[in-house]
Amino acid sequence: MPSIDPTTRDLWQVIAATDEIAPGIVETTLLLDTPIALTRDNAGNPVVWRRTDEEQGDEVDAEAILDRLPATTGYGYIWTSLGNPPADLFPIPEYAEADRKNMSCGSIGIHVSAPRAVENFLDMGHFPYVHTDILGAEPHTEVKEYDVEVSEERDEVLATRCRFIQPRAAKSATTAMEVEYVYRVPHPFCSVLYKSCPEDESRRDVIAIFLQPMTEERCRAHLLQSMIDSTSTITDLRRFQQTIFGQDKPILENQYPKRLPLDPRSETPIRADKSAIAYRRWLSQKGITYGVIPMAS
Amino acid sequence: MTLSVSDPTWYPIASSEDLPFRHVYAGQLLGRELAVWRADDGNVNVWENRCLHRGVRLSIGINEGGELKCQYHGWRYANRSAGCTYIPAHPADAPARRIQNRTYPVREAYGLIWSAANDEQAFRPFPGAEGHDWFALRPMPVNAAPEDVLAALAGLAPDDQPADLLPGLAVRFGGTYYFVQPVDACRAVIRGLLAEPPAEPVATLRHYNETLTKLRDRLERAARKKPAPEPLQPAFDKVSADLATMPDIAIPKGNTITVVVKRKWTSADGVIGFELAARTGHLPTFQPGAHIDIHLPNGMTRQYSITNGPGELMSYIIGVKAESASKGGSKVLVETVREGDLLSISEPRNNFPLRRDATRTVLIAGGIGITPLLSMARFLDKSSLPYELHYFTRAGETVAFRADLEALHGKVTFHTGVPRDEIGATIASALGQWSMAQHVYVCGPGPMLETVRETAAAQGWPEEAIHFEYFKNDKVIDNSSAFDVELARSAMTLHVPSGKTIMEVMRDAGLTVPSSCEQGACGTCLTTVIEGDVDHQDVYLNNSEKASNRCMMTCVSRAKSARLVLDI
């Protein structure tokens, strides 16, 4: 079994959408090569433990589970940790705004490491080729200059002033528009995207991706949308996001090697990759070794 | 025998039949994945199966015939050299650096494609290879150690005709040869060859398939009972240090290549074609619109555009105008250089990059200005992108490269002998009103360039949609300033008075300075600036290069600051 670096061990890790876990019914999954089981107690609180001989679908009395892993809920998902997690999850304040439609958009397995999937989420250059006629289209292939910083205070990578012309930026968009993005990477395996909202110019839609590292080369992507959209149904909004993700999946699964290489000399960056370069460096500085190919020391 | 990732032996990795045109085959050898594809010129490429940018397999890429396009970010790589020719995220300046995928040696012979882990050994035909019309059997993949597969194949030989083991995991008996392709420590592919095509190919293929299927089942049963050997772990080569950092403005290096004048012909009245071939192998990757500097026998340097299409790297074809008014450069080429002569050329440089994401591209050429536009047209043509080419020639002048132009599928219009006062109207109607994502590229005499620029601007074309290349700087050079230049490497400080160029002052001080046009158009005297504020007066550098304040032309440019520090 691969070793789990201390930083990764102490992180909160997403494992399931809260709504999809029925009280008293065992669900099983894999986190950091560790088989785990989870359910919710009668009060609705998550209960997570290292899987022993339970099977998925078994009924349990959650009170009887004594050897529990830390567990919390946030942004519609259940989170756990194999170590000592911080008191709180990273903040997404918009989630609490009363008029937003918050929804989980499914949990999709991908045969690639979690950091590769984060990097793909940060990348605008692939829009015209992978999400043709939705998030991008030729002739708009140029990635304009944008700003990236690693915020020490908040310990996150922040990319701002990202602009891209999109034929259909959101479910509610009807014509091509230049959208402005802000990307945050507040957690080594999670990223939050803010994009201009077609319905309200003064506010921004929020799309987040939380990756559950199952093994070093396999993960599950859990998607969150927090939208300002008065017309679309939740089903439509979910389907839109799943379409986008379905286009990324085959590309991600053809990335080779599957773990993200952190040595700057392993792949060729261009200016458009500024955020990916900052992300790789940030992972390296944090001492993350899980799901990456660390720099040879 | 233990397999090694660095085994230099040539092994078959595919059948010729696996490589139809416009397809990419996923091959495997010694733990590596390979992207194998045939270009439209018939050449077979064997590359490491990952795009150097973000590691996506090129076996899911798009084979455009002369280039392979990655599905993730649209990067294109050239046939033969695997050099990157286009980066859509930065269409205006990319690729500023030489980015090249890892390639493996390749040979197509006897109905099979052969490759090796490295170039250490030359390809050698197997014993008895010559003189037959080889017929390839269907490949049979086997999950077993390659050496076990070889032993089992040898066991197929009839008792009275013992198997003959050949070098390179091969075995022969009767007229049948079997080659074991070592995919990994525990995986192999059996590739068989028959010395002559059988009378009934389908029945024969079926017969061999049945035999090999039985053999495979037996081998896989046995392999499951044994501990599996460790898979081979090929290392990925690191990219060079300059590719791992953020790209700067490219300062062309002084590398030169020796080429042979393979062909010299009259392409049109007054235009001589030259085909320049590498002495061995292929020439470096170039982008449409790129030019080379030719170092002429009389010591001069002149720039000529490459007219070739994508992936055509066996030779560069240029067109040279035999002008009587020539200062001597082209005249030397036309009059004294003969077929078979050797010439020294620079690596290709591109100051005229073509966007390949436009919805409409208009190419306008005047006279010999057709050369870079012919290359652009060929690239657009091969990718089935919409374009129109307008070629203006004077009355009496004939059309150069006519057959090449007529072979294109785009809209090529020849405008011959249009009276001077009608050229503007013809250009206006060729351009039409601008709409988003339309680009025009123009190369020709100065007055024509100006007409196109003015007409386009009047019809709503924004500056960034009008692309042109000067071969001459028509600007009035302001040489009134006076300043100091510090030459960092030569440890020398010189004063440049008004009325003299930096280059002249350096020459006066005894330095040898390369130059060619001496009017800020060719790029020969491009110099790195370490410190100071440059007063650019050339037409070679683009605006972002000028704004970077990192490079300048010493033949015309000056200083706005009191002092410049140059990397000379």
Side-chain angles (χ1 to χ4, degrees), chain A residues 34 40 49 64 76 78 86 96 98 101 104 125 133 195 248 251 256 264 276 290:
Chain A
T34 311
R40 285 202 287 166
W49 66 99
I78 295 174
K101 280 187 184 166
S104 65
D133 294 338
K195 65 195 286 188
D248 282 315
I251 297 291
Y256 194 64
Y290 196 86

Side-chain angles (χ1 to χ4, degrees), chain A residues 120 123 139 141 256 265 273, chain B residues 50 53-54 72-73 239 357:
Chain A
N120 172 67
D123 173 56
T141 59
Y256 194 64
R265 289 188 54 190
D273 299 319
Chain B
R50 50 193 294 267
H53 178 223
R54 283 297 173 256
Y72 197 10
H73 295 99
V239 300
D357 60 355

Side-chain angles (χ1 to χ4, degrees), chain A residues 116 119-120 123 125-126 129-130 138-143 145 250-258 263-274 276-277 280, chain B residues 33 50 52-57 60 69 71-75 87-91 93 97 99 236 238-241 243-244 246-247 355-359 436-437:
Chain A
R116 280 270 197 204
E119 196 177 86
N120 172 67
D123 173 56
H126 77 288
Y129 296 95
V130 179
E138 292 180 282
H140 307 290
T141 59
E142 189 159 5
V143 177
E145 285 295 315
I251 297 291
L252 280 166
E253 293 184 340
N254 274 294
Q255 270 188 296
Y256 194 64
K258 291 184 177 298
D263 186 329
R265 289 188 54 190
S266 51
E267 290 175 349
T268 311
I270 54 172
R271 291 201 305 282
D273 299 319
K274 268 160 94 169
I277 294 164
R280 290 183 186 200
Chain B
E33 292 194 24
R50 50 193 294 267
L52 273 190
H53 178 223
R54 283 297 173 256
V56 169
R57 287 190 173 96
I60 64 164
K69 183 175 163 191
Q71 292 253 50
Y72 197 10
H73 295 99
W75 288 32
I87 298 177
H90 303 302
D93 59 3
R97 306 161 292 174
I99 299 173
F236 296 111
K238 285 187 177 180
V239 300
S240 65
L243 293 190
M246 293 300 252
R355 280 188 81 125
R356 289 201 261 169
D357 60 355
T359 51
M436 200 193 60

Side-chain angles (χ1 to χ4, degrees), chain A:
Chain A
M1 176 167 297
S3 70
I4 303 165
D5 60 85
T7 313
T8 299
R9 181 174 289 275
D10 286 341
L11 290 168
W12 282 114
Q13 304 285 2
V14 67
I15 47 171
T18 313
D19 290 350
E20 290 169 15
I21 305 299
I25 305 295
V26 174
E27 286 292 328
T28 60
T29 188
L30 190 65
L31 175 69
L32 301 166
D33 290 277
T34 311
I36 58 170
L38 69 154
T39 189
R40 285 202 287 166
D41 64 18
N42 291 332
N45 297 319
V47 179
V48 184
W49 66 99
R50 282 173 203 268
R51 184 174 163 191
T52 48
D53 56 354
E54 306 81 2
E55 293 292 333
Q56 180 148 323
D58 281 358
E59 288 180 38
V60 291
D61 177 3
E63 305 299 322
I65 308 292
L66 298 175
D67 199 9
R68 298 181 181 193
L69 290 170
T72 189
T73 53
Y75 317 125
Y77 286 94
I78 295 174
W79 304 71
T80 189
S81 177
L82 298 185
N84 300 302
D88 298 313
L89 284 175
F90 55 87
I92 309 179
E94 294 77 8
Y95 187 83
E97 291 170 6
D99 63 340
R100 282 184 183 262
K101 280 187 184 166
N102 287 324
M103 73 208 77
S104 65
C105 302
S107 302
I108 303 162
I110 343 168
H111 209 127
V112 78
S113 81
R116 280 270 197 204
V118 170
E119 196 177 86
N120 172 67
F121 190 75
L122 295 177
D123 173 56
M124 289 181 287
H126 77 288
F127 289 166
Y129 296 95
V130 179
H131 308 298
T132 313
D133 294 338
I134 304 176
L135 298 186
E138 292 180 282
H140 307 290
T141 59
E142 189 159 5
V143 177
K144 299 190 184 89
E145 285 295 315
Y146 58 94
D147 298 325
V148 182
E149 59 172 34
V150 177
S151 156
E152 277 188 50
E153 180 200 336
R154 284 162 53 156
D155 189 24
E156 66 177 45
V157 179
L158 185 68
T160 52
R161 253 180 9 99
C162 307
R163 291 155 297 152
F164 213 79
I165 293 178
Q166 300 193 332
R168 195 175 168 206
K171 182 74 189 98
S172 58
T174 49
T175 52
M177 59 188 275
E178 184 173 84
V179 293
E180 183 153 352
Y181 279 11
V182 169
Y183 289 98
R184 286 173 57 203
V185 190
H187 175 297
F189 309 135
C190 299
S191 182
V192 186
L193 157 67
Y194 297 82
K195 65 195 286 188
S196 34
C197 168
E199 201 169 297
D200 182 347
E201 277 180 21
S202 66
R203 299 173 71 192
R204 289 184 298 186
D205 283 333
V206 179
I207 299 168
I209 187 170
F210 309 138
L211 293 149
Q212 170 190 349
M214 299 176 83
T215 70
E216 292 212 78
E217 301 194 339
R218 200 147 62 89
C219 66
R220 272 208 305 173
H222 303 269
L223 300 163
L224 164 75
Q225 284 189 129
S226 181
M227 315 296 273
I228 300 148
D229 186 332
S230 54
T231 53
S232 309
T233 65
I234 296 271
T235 307
D236 286 343
L237 289 165
R238 278 194 173 135
R239 190 169 289 150
F240 180 78
Q241 212 48 49
Q242 288 182 357
T243 302
I244 300 293
F245 208 80
Q247 295 174 331
D248 282 315
K249 186 176 152 83
I251 297 291
L252 280 166
E253 293 184 340
N254 274 294
Q255 270 188 296
Y256 194 64
K258 291 184 177 298
R259 289 182 292 149
L260 182 72
L262 298 187
D263 186 329
R265 289 188 54 190
S266 51
E267 290 175 349
T268 311
I270 54 172
R271 291 201 305 282
D273 299 319
K274 268 160 94 169
S275 54
I277 294 164
Y279 172 62
R280 290 183 186 200
R281 202 175 289 153
W282 184 66
L283 291 181
S284 212
Q285 282 161 358
K286 289 178 100 58
I288 303 270
T289 61
Y290 196 86
V292 302
I293 301 170
M295 266 205 273
S297 45

Side-chain angles (χ1 to χ4, degrees), chain B residues 48-69:
Chain B
E48 183 173 84
N49 191 16
R50 50 193 294 267
C51 171
L52 273 190
H53 178 223
R54 283 297 173 256
V56 169
R57 287 190 173 96
L58 289 170
S59 54
I60 64 164
I62 299 159
N63 175 353
E64 288 197 335
E67 292 171 303
L68 189 61
K69 183 175 163 191

Side-chain angles (χ1 to χ4, degrees), chain B residues 71-393:
Chain B
Q71 292 253 50
Y72 197 10
H73 295 99
W75 288 32
R76 286 187 169 92
Y77 295 95
N79 171 35
R80 295 183 193 271
S81 66
C84 178
T85 58
Y86 192 58
I87 298 177
H90 303 302
D93 59 3
R97 306 161 292 174
R98 176 171 296 186
I99 299 173
Q100 224 150 2
N101 265 311
R102 168 135 192 208
T103 60
Y104 291 96
V106 58
R107 185 65 68 90
E108 183 170 17
Y110 324 118
L112 298 175
I113 309 295
W114 305 74
S115 186
N118 53 50
D119 285 312
E120 279 171 34
Q121 276 182 17
F123 178 79
R124 271 195 302 270
F126 56 86
E130 301 308 330
H132 296 281
D133 183 10
W134 293 98
F135 178 81
L137 300 177
R138 297 265 153 78
M140 178 63 67
V142 187
N143 283 317
E147 49 270 46
D148 293 349
V149 176
L150 183 71
L153 283 167
L156 288 180
D159 292 342
D160 57 344
Q161 199 177 42
D164 194 358
L165 283 176
L166 304 175
L169 293 176
V171 61
R172 163 182 66 187
F173 49 87
T176 312
Y177 285 68
Y178 289 109
F179 301 88
V180 177
Q181 171 190 348
V183 168
D184 208 329
C186 55
R187 289 189 295 145
V189 178
I190 301 169
R191 297 193 179 271
L193 286 182
L194 304 184
E196 307 301 334
E200 289 181 66
V202 174
T204 307
L205 286 173
R206 189 176 297 133
H207 161 76
Y208 278 98
N209 247 23
E210 280 168 9
T211 310
L212 294 179
T213 302
K214 277 185 206 146
L215 184 84
R216 178 194 67 192
D217 292 349
R218 187 152 51 81
L219 276 162
E220 291 188 347
R221 269 198 306 276
R224 278 196 291 271
K225 289 181 194 141
K226 291 203 286 190
E230 270 298 301
L232 296 174
Q233 296 288 351
F236 296 111
D237 279 358
K238 285 187 177 180
V239 300
S240 65
D242 66 315
L243 293 190
T245 47
M246 293 300 252
D248 255 334
I249 302 298
I251 307 274
K253 299 280 183 290
N255 292 346
T256 57
I257 308 157
T258 305
V259 290
V260 186
V261 180
K262 198 174 158 194
R263 200 155 61 94
K264 177 183 176 187
W265 72 102
T266 304
S267 174
D269 197 15
V271 177
I272 311 297
F274 284 87
E275 182 177 0
L276 310 174
R279 282 188 296 179
T280 53
H282 62 78
L283 290 161
T285 318
F286 65 96
Q287 287 115 44
H291 67 266
I292 47 170
D293 296 348
I294 299 191
H295 301 276
L296 296 167
N298 63 356
M300 293 180 125
T301 309
R302 284 290 176 271
Q303 286 72 44
Y304 299 96
S305 296
I306 300 171
T307 65
N308 300 49
E312 295 172 6
L313 300 181
M314 296 312 286
S315 59
Y316 297 146
I317 291 171
I318 58 165
V320 178
K321 188 164 181 159
E323 249 181 357
S324 48
S326 160
K327 276 204 297 183
S330 298
K331 207 172 141 123
V332 170
L333 261 183
V334 169
E335 288 176 4
T336 68
V337 173
R338 299 274 170 264
E339 285 183 7
D341 285 358
L342 296 182
L343 285 174
S344 184
I345 65 168
S346 70
E347 291 190 9
R349 292 195 236 154
N350 195 8
N351 204 36
F352 197 25
L354 172 72
R355 280 188 81 125
R356 289 201 261 169
D357 60 355
T359 51
R360 175 176 173 242
T361 304
V362 183
L363 309 172
I364 300 180
I368 195 64
I370 187 64
T371 52
L373 301 182
L374 172 58
S375 178
M376 289 183 177
R378 283 175 156 149
F379 274 78
L380 295 168
D381 202 69
K382 203 88 170 177
S383 305
S384 305
L385 293 167
Y387 71 95
E388 294 143 42
L389 188 149
H390 297 269
Y391 182 9
F392 289 81
T393 45

